[in-house]
Amino acid sequence: MAKLKLPDRRHLVISHHHGQLSAPAFYSRDTGLESSQLGVSVVCCTNRSYFMDRVFRNYLGQVHPVKELIIILHGHSLPLDPWIATAQGYPDIKIYQLDEHLSLGECYNFAVQQSSYDFVAKFDDDDYYAPRFLQETMHAFGFINAGIIGKACRYVYFEGSSTLALCQSGRENMYVEYVAGATMVIKKEIFSQIRFRPITVGEDSQFQSDCLRRGVKIYSINRHNYVTHRRPDQNTHTYRVADDTYLNACQFVAYTDNYEPWITP
């Protein structure tokens, strides 16, 4: 991937931190703001520097205007300097480096504490977020009564066979019990009562289960503008399942080297 060209602006905030900060503010439904004016904090936790360009491109490509990116480097063995250099000139990007012994859930809780806005979007480091991903989700909050909005039905791209498929077909525009963790956009007021559990596997699904038990509604919007990426080596994924098994649970869409026309309306 080509090197990012960045404008000459002021440096970002860099922090190294291990502690906990105060609870976040509440969101008011009476703000009267248009969806384009609602701020969203994108949080991304990663221990893989080779996805650095994808992390930045996914965020910088978003057309939603009011946003920030909080990157958590999970482990002190990760080189920090390339991330700092790439993010130079973007004051809306913050980078923190946390100890590898912390769970992924603890890393996400820390990221939420650093967030400035009333909505928190969880981005994975290895998936694709089309430019209107945040825009369409923030728009949905204007007319859907839910604490979490994301995608249960979503596209999955199997890199080894260049196969685009659809997972959980039909679970669109409806209330659900679970959306893909990498697509969650969450009202930050929820974190005053519910937090990610201190676990590294299944923290997304457990968080949603905890939310449902507390009466938080979860809504799945359409399938568009997001793609889960599956690499041939299942050991590089948290969800370790063979491609054939995963694909058998999906609906085939196409063999393609360019899925963007398929996933953007």
Side-chain angles (χ1 to χ4, degrees), residues 125-136:
D125 59 1
D126 56 347
D127 293 337
Y128 173 69
Y129 298 81
R132 298 192 181 277
F133 175 86
L134 287 178
Q135 183 187 62
E136 68 166 1

Side-chain angles (χ1 to χ4, degrees), residues 23-165:
F26 283 78
Y27 166 68
S28 170
R29 294 190 181 94
D30 300 322
T31 58
L33 295 175
E34 298 284 341
S35 62
S36 62
Q37 297 173 298
L38 295 174
V40 56
S41 300
V42 177
V43 301
C44 181
C45 297
T46 182
N47 61 2
R48 302 178 288 196
S49 290
Y50 48 88
F51 284 129
M52 183 182 71
D53 280 352
R54 185 172 295 185
V55 169
F56 282 102
R57 289 183 186 279
N58 277 331
Y59 171 75
L60 294 173
Q62 296 300 310
V63 299
H64 185 77
V66 187
K67 60 186 183 292
E68 66 177 354
L69 173 62
I70 299 168
I71 299 172
I72 304 296
L73 301 183
H74 192 190
H76 289 291
S77 62
L78 293 173
L80 180 61
D81 288 348
W83 293 84
I84 295 175
T86 305
Q88 271 192 331
Y90 289 91
D92 53 332
I93 297 177
K94 305 173 186 178
I95 300 176
Y96 300 88
Q97 191 160 31
L98 300 182
D99 194 90
E100 56 268 21
H101 297 300
L102 292 175
S103 67
L104 201 50
E106 290 172 302
C107 290
Y108 283 121
N109 287 332
F110 175 84
V112 171
Q113 290 179 322
Q114 315 314 311
S115 63
S116 303
Y117 295 121
D118 291 334
F119 294 85
V120 176
K122 182 179 174 297
F123 276 25
D124 275 7
D125 59 1
D126 56 347
D127 293 337
Y128 173 69
Y129 298 81
R132 298 192 181 277
F133 175 86
L134 287 178
Q135 183 187 62
E136 68 166 1
T137 308
M138 298 309 295
H139 176 71
F141 274 109
F143 59 91
I144 293 170
N145 179 22
I148 300 173
I149 294 180
K151 298 177 186 291
C153 177
R154 72 272 186 192
Y155 288 103
V156 182
Y157 186 68
F158 298 86
E159 296 178 0
S161 59
S162 300
T163 301
L164 183 66

